[in-house]
Amino acid sequence: MTRIHLVKGREKSLQRKHPWIFDGAVKEKNAAIPAGETVVVCDHNDNPLAIGAWSPASQLRIRVWSFDPSETIDREFFRRRIAQAVKMRENLGLLDPDGGCRLIYSESDLLPGIIVDRYGEFAVLQLLSAGAEFFRDIIAQTLLELPFIKGIFERSDSPVRQKEALALRAGHLAGETLPEKIIVRENGLDFEVNPAAGQKTGFYFDLRSAREKIRQLAAGKRVLNMFSYTGGFACAAFAGGAVSVVNADSSAPALEQCQRNLELNGFTGSYRNICGDVFKLLRKFESENAKFDMVILDPPKLIPGKSAMMRGCRAYQDLARLGFKLLAPGGILCNFSCSGAMNPELFQKITADGALEAGVNAAVIARLEQAPDHPTLLSVPETFYLNGLVSILTD
Ligand code: SAH
């Protein structure tokens, strides 16, 4: 195995068990090593520190597989790590065969670049780094060894792969073929998911705790559910006793799926699905002086990179302002950010500024984050990305 050396002083993050090594920290940063190959990471004195995957195209030149430099990265290694990740989900009570969960969450499960969502007996795999791609076959075979997995579908079509010079790929990978539609059960609700065509791997398991909270608070409420996707929050709200729900999303197929999910759960109550731009729609509702008892705002990542910080923050604030404006007295706003660049303190400040602009007083009654199958690894704070605030009007 090739030995790679760090610039003096750049071993500090490794000592704190952070698995990312940027090109600027690597002496041989232009070494002719094939993408994804395993290398030994040494300090400037040639002392081995870790084992990682080489990614020649990415600024993130090495992702560490193991902080034990004597470890071999082979089938056994992936068996152990995957078993560990599965065990955690089992402990969390998330292995219900009719349900689903995130089985492997990349760095948080010490498997950088590997994401696996389980839909019933099928796994949907996303490989996002050169190292993950290198071990694709072993990872797929190891997943198929799990007694509760009978087929694997690949959704390695996320644009982040371009940073690693990896082509986008989606399709059947191993075992039984994924049916076009799968129904997963969560808290007594059924959700139809289409992992081959949906966003990400098809369903947002990270919002499970948020769905629960919204269900608890929805009784008797007229709900405005913006960026509804396939209606997870709409079903949760009806299950909690909401009297009406207005959903909106720019994706027509997502809204069709939303409609089917509402029907599947027998929610024949009052709902509307609007296909369009939420930013425009909220302004239209504002001009009509429409009022709701609960407004949910769950936009896509509005800060995709550091350069979009200012613009993204303004968009979050704009949404919060409009959301607060549309609340009837005593109403509740649930606003979210899934941008990794956002932090809880800043999100609260933005939400506060939105309330100020809307001319309302509000108080936070709950804070939401990604569900436990997307844990935040303490040594890798970047694994935290989902902020949610539940605020209630106080006058
Ligand atoms: N709340 C959803 C997940 C939202 S994901 C859930 O519970 O599952 C973000 C959604 O925003 C996607 O469905 C995407 O189609 C939609 N979207 C993105 N930009 C939009 C815009 N400007 N107006 C309306 N919808 C938009």
Side-chain angles (χ1 to χ4, degrees):
M1 260 188 300
T2 310
R3 291 169 88 88
I4 291 294
H5 299 88
L6 298 181
V7 174
K8 192 172 176 204
R10 298 298 293 268
E11 64 284 344
K12 293 215 170 65
S13 60
L14 278 190
Q15 285 158 353
R16 295 186 57 82
K17 299 271 173 74
H18 196 288
W20 296 349
I21 302 173
F22 289 92
D23 52 0
V26 178
K27 279 191 189 161
E28 305 89 343
K29 67 174 177 186
N30 296 319
I33 302 168
E37 226 172 69
T38 307
V39 297
V40 184
V41 184
C42 305
D43 68 9
H44 67 288
N45 281 329
D46 201 36
N47 299 310
L49 301 172
I51 302 281
W54 183 255
S55 182
S58 172
Q59 270 184 303
L60 227 167
R61 191 58 39 100
I62 300 170
R63 280 179 168 84
V64 169
W65 286 124
S66 173
F67 294 98
D68 171 2
S70 68
E71 189 148 12
T72 307
I73 310 307
D74 57 5
R75 191 177 294 271
E76 271 314 306
F77 168 82
F78 286 101
R79 268 198 196 122
R80 277 198 307 278
R81 287 278 161 95
I82 290 173
Q84 228 174 313
V86 168
K87 186 82 197 151
M88 185 200 290
R89 276 60 183 185
E90 195 183 354
N91 284 340
L92 293 168
L94 291 172
L95 291 192
D96 167 11
D98 297 326
C101 66
R102 175 145 298 186
L103 216 48
I104 299 177
Y105 174 41
S106 202
E107 275 78 0
S108 286
D109 287 300
L110 309 180
L111 289 167
I114 305 174
I115 285 177
V116 178
D117 283 337
R118 177 182 71 85
Y119 295 95
E121 298 174 279
F122 288 88
V124 180
L125 172 68
Q126 239 183 3
L127 302 172
L128 302 175
S129 65
E133 180 82 4
F134 189 83
F135 288 105
R136 179 171 178 252
D137 291 343
I138 287 185
I139 294 164
Q141 287 159 13
T142 309
L143 285 170
L144 213 47
E145 286 170 12
L146 296 172
F148 53 87
I149 294 296
K150 65 179 187 190
I152 302 171
F153 190 85
E154 185 174 13
R155 279 298 301 269
S156 297
D157 55 352
S158 163
V160 302
R161 273 173 65 100
Q162 286 156 0
K163 290 189 184 171
E164 304 265 325
L166 297 169
L168 307 192
R169 188 197 305 115
H172 172 74
L173 181 53
E176 282 184 36
T177 310
L178 180 84
E180 197 182 321
K181 299 278 163 61
I182 292 190
I183 292 176
V184 288
R185 174 157 285 207
E186 178 189 278
N187 283 330
L189 294 174
D190 285 335
F191 294 103
E192 191 183 271
V193 184
N194 180 353
Q199 292 172 28
K200 303 274 174 70
T201 73
F203 189 67
Y204 289 93
F205 289 121
D206 56 354
L207 294 172
R208 188 186 308 106
S209 330
R211 282 187 284 274
E212 228 172 287
K213 179 52 76 179
I214 282 166
R215 187 170 175 164
Q216 282 167 16
L217 293 169
K221 299 207 161 46
R222 296 164 293 170
V223 177
L224 181 63
N225 178 29
M226 298 290 92
F227 308 97
S228 61
Y229 188 46
T230 55
F233 288 142
C235 291
F238 274 129
V243 293
S244 65
V245 180
V246 175
N247 297 300
D249 201 284
S250 54
S251 159
L255 284 174
E256 283 162 26
Q257 188 84 63
C258 173
Q259 166 103 23
R260 281 198 296 278
N261 281 330
L262 288 164
E263 287 167 3
L264 198 60
N265 291 289
F267 298 130
T268 48
S270 165
Y271 65 83
R272 268 169 74 197
N273 292 343
I274 304 170
C275 190
D277 176 38
V278 162
F279 290 88
K280 286 191 188 139
L281 188 66
L282 289 175
R283 285 185 167 76
K284 179 169 165 281
F285 281 137
E286 186 194 16
S287 71
E288 293 166 358
N289 206 23
K291 295 292 172 200
F292 299 88
D293 306 304
M294 179 185 271
V295 173
I296 302 168
L297 303 169
D298 181 29
K301 205 190 273 188
L302 298 177
I303 313 175
K306 285 254 149 61
S307 63
M309 195 69 193
M310 283 298 283
R311 194 167 3 109
C313 286
R314 269 200 298 273
Y316 284 118
Q317 187 172 326
D318 193 34
L319 286 174
R321 175 183 66 81
L322 288 160
F324 278 124
K325 274 260 175 185
L326 296 178
L327 288 178
I332 290 175
L333 178 72
C334 307
N335 61 334
F336 295 87
S337 157
C338 61
S339 302
M342 181 65 76
N343 64 60
E345 206 179 327
L346 179 58
F347 194 56
Q348 182 168 328
K349 165 117 183 34
I350 285 170
T351 306
D353 288 349
L356 208 59
E357 277 187 343
V360 301
N361 286 310
V364 173
I365 53 168
R367 292 167 198 279
L368 299 169
E369 59 176 77
Q370 56 219 57
D373 44 348
H374 301 62
T376 302
L377 195 68
L378 285 170
S379 53
V380 191
E382 294 87 344
T383 52
F384 178 81
Y385 63 92
L386 185 65
N387 281 284
L389 283 176
V390 183
S391 310
I392 189 162
L393 293 192
T394 54
D395 53 16

